[in-house]
Amino acid sequence: MRAQTRRLSFGQTELDGTDIRILQVLQDEGRISKSDLAARVHLSNSACFERMRRLEQSGIIRSYHARLDLDLMEDLQIFQTHVVLGSHRQEDFTRFEAYVAANDMIAECYGLGGGIDYSLTCVARRISDYQGLIDDLLSRGLNVERYYTYVVTKQVKRREIGIDRLLG
Amino acid sequence: MRAQTRRLSFGQTELDGTDIRILQVLQDEGRISKSDLAARVHLSNSACFERMRRLEQSGIIRSYHARLDLDLMEDLQIFQTHVVLGSHRQEDFTRFEAYVAANDMIAECYGLGGGIDYSLTCVARRISDYQGLIDDLLSRGLNVERYYTYVVTKQVKRREIGIDRLLG
DNA sequence: CCTGAAATCTATAGGTA
DNA sequence: TACCTATAGATTTCAGG
């Protein structure tokens, strides 16, 4: 009896169980060598290679990153900011998101539904730097109606969001 | 005139400008080859390798990860949940955080100060799975006083949080 | 921090089902 | 099409300066 092969479509691309396993491994061990990866998914180097390249070129794998230990970083304040816009025209969203993309104190931004429009994670060296960000945000005519600031006191958990939840 | 060398301490470890540059590069290009990294920071292979290992062993670099394109992932719902606890004894925090650590639908969790205690990012295949998570959370006697659910409609931005903000 | 040689890994070409 | 083996070339590791 063969193991059941889960198939998923990601935009244009169809993924089989082996692709998903590759993604899973790379999500957890982003710097694993390609030969170790091939062994892990029971494939020859070249076959595994070809799949990995397909996953990168199709955009399913966007990028690779080292994750640093925030708790070891002194001189670093993290804030979470919840933003409500004054009106919800397409243009309001576009302009706000362009601002977020361009501002490099903003590390993360989720668009939300249900009473808050955006949740931001902001990185600053001092509170005054954060306040500078907020002042700037409010002075740009981005139609921010309300915002709420929360100091991040602890990074309890941070995992990549993704594929592992689609299995099982 | 020498370039100014910024120094930072991360817990036990002292970092110089070259270490910081290495961290910066690895944060952005987690799968860069070690020789390319050495060239990028103007160091010989072996010197750069030695530093990289020090950064990994000291725990400043925790891990490496592939980042997948969430917008391409069908069958995946993301929720943000804001949690207020009923009381703030040390034990309440410890137990809540242990729950978060153990539950693999919860991908991210920040501890906050300022009216909300925790912000969670949850991954589910269906809304009913998310509701199952909430039901479970509430049935564990974790002293959750209130929670607020927001559907994530768009991942506007996601960058590693870290070192780059400490420069400039 | 450097050099250099041995061990390992990667990319590609050519073949099988 | 998807996979395999083989191999030349590149990279990584490590000993010694």
Side-chain angles (χ1 to χ4, degrees), chain B residues 15-77:
Chain B
L15 303 187
D16 66 12
T18 305
D19 290 318
I20 293 173
R21 182 83 185 104
I22 289 171
L23 292 175
Q24 224 178 356
V25 172
L26 288 173
Q27 236 188 222
D28 286 351
E29 297 166 61
R31 254 189 105 83
I32 192 175
S33 83
K34 294 183 181 183
S35 7
D36 286 354
L37 175 63
R40 197 77 76 78
V41 301
H42 308 296
L43 231 55
S44 74
N45 282 7
S46 58
C48 183
F49 177 70
E50 186 45 48
R51 280 169 182 265
M52 189 172 160
R53 184 170 46 180
R54 209 179 95 244
L55 293 168
E56 286 172 351
Q57 288 189 346
S58 67
I60 292 173
I61 296 174
R62 291 175 74 108
S63 49
Y64 298 91
H65 305 277
R67 179 151 308 152
L68 309 186
D69 187 334
L70 283 189
D71 297 339
L72 290 178
M73 296 195 207
E74 297 159 19
D75 309 317
L76 205 65
Q77 285 287 334

Side-chain angles (χ1 to χ4, degrees), chain B residues 3 14 18 29 45 58 75 78 86 125 129 137 142 155 165:
Chain B
E14 277 275 320
T18 305
E29 297 166 61
N45 282 7
S58 67
D75 309 317
I78 306 168
R125 300 191 64 181
D129 292 339
L137 181 66
L142 292 172
Q155 191 177 40
R165 266 288 102 200

Side-chain angles (χ1 to χ4, degrees), chain B residues 2 56 65 87 91 122 138 153:
Chain B
R2 297 217 293 111
E56 286 172 351
H65 305 277
S87 59
E91 187 203 336
C122 307
L138 296 177
T153 53

Side-chain angles (χ1 to χ4, degrees), chain A residues 12-48:
Chain A
Q12 306 297 330
T13 321
E14 277 275 319
L15 303 186
D16 65 12
T18 305
D19 290 317
I20 291 173
R21 183 82 185 105
I22 289 172
L23 292 175
Q24 225 178 353
V25 172
L26 288 173
Q27 237 188 221
D28 285 351
E29 296 167 63
R31 253 188 105 83
I32 191 175
S33 81
K34 294 182 181 183
S35 4
D36 285 354
L37 175 63
R40 199 76 75 77
V41 301
H42 309 295
L43 231 54
S44 74
N45 282 6
S46 58
C48 183

